[in-house]
């Protein structure tokens, strides 16, 4: 279990680094991205830091991550999108269903 958490944290950190590098490559500040995406800068910075424990919750983190990546043009980078998918899948908690007797 601890190994899975560390692996997920590593993937999120790598994703965040790639996102930050792309933003900087495009010459955009966090404030400019905030204005254009309407995602608050504190959440953008959390994504870049690979920190998924943001206030609204992990579901919002996943949506913000995908929106941010799309904004920066990663929708054409299939390996990056696969990395996002895997990190998101590893964050999801299994849903327990109440069985009827």
């Amino acid at each position: 279990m601890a190994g899975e958490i560390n692996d997920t944290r590593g993937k999120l950190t790598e994703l965040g680094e790639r996102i930050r590098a792309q933003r900087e490559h495009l010459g955009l500040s966090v404030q400019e991205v905030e204005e254009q995406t309407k995602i608050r800068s504190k959440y953008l910075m959390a994504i870049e830091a690979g920190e998924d424990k943001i206030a609204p919750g992990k579901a919002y983190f996943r949506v913000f991550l995908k929106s941010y990546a799309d904004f920066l043009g990663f929708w054409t980078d299939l390996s990056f999108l696969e990395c996002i998918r895997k990190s998101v899948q590893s964050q999801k908690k299994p849903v327990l269903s109440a069985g009827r007797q």
Side-chain angles (χ1 to χ4, degrees):
M1 181 83 168
E4 290 176 20
I5 292 170
N6 288 335
D7 188 42
T8 299
R9 178 73 49 226
K11 288 178 187 176
L12 291 176
T13 300
E14 179 185 344
L15 287 172
E17 289 171 357
R18 289 182 66 187
I19 285 174
R20 180 192 44 75
Q22 178 69 0
R23 176 183 56 77
E24 290 174 350
H25 174 75
L26 294 172
L28 297 169
S29 70
V30 172
Q31 290 72 28
E32 289 170 319
V33 175
E34 177 182 33
E35 290 170 7
Q36 294 184 41
T37 64
K38 307 302 183 212
I39 300 170
R40 293 177 60 188
S41 62
K42 71 179 188 177
Y43 302 136
L44 297 171
M45 291 186 296
I47 290 168
E48 290 184 0
E51 182 54 59
D52 63 345
K53 292 179 176 40
I54 57 176
K58 290 185 179 185
Y60 282 93
F61 177 84
R62 292 189 294 267
V63 171
F64 292 163
L65 173 61
K66 175 137 183 9
S67 296
Y68 194 6
D70 285 348
F71 173 76
L72 294 175
F74 282 112
W75 63 85
T76 60
D77 186 340
L78 296 179
S79 65
F80 185 80
L81 293 176
E82 180 64 14
C83 196
I84 289 176
R85 188 191 66 75
K86 286 181 181 178
S87 69
V88 166
Q89 287 294 338
S90 65
Q91 290 179 333
K92 290 183 179 177
K93 294 180 181 175
V95 177
L96 300 176
S97 60
R100 292 190 178 166
Q101 308 227 1

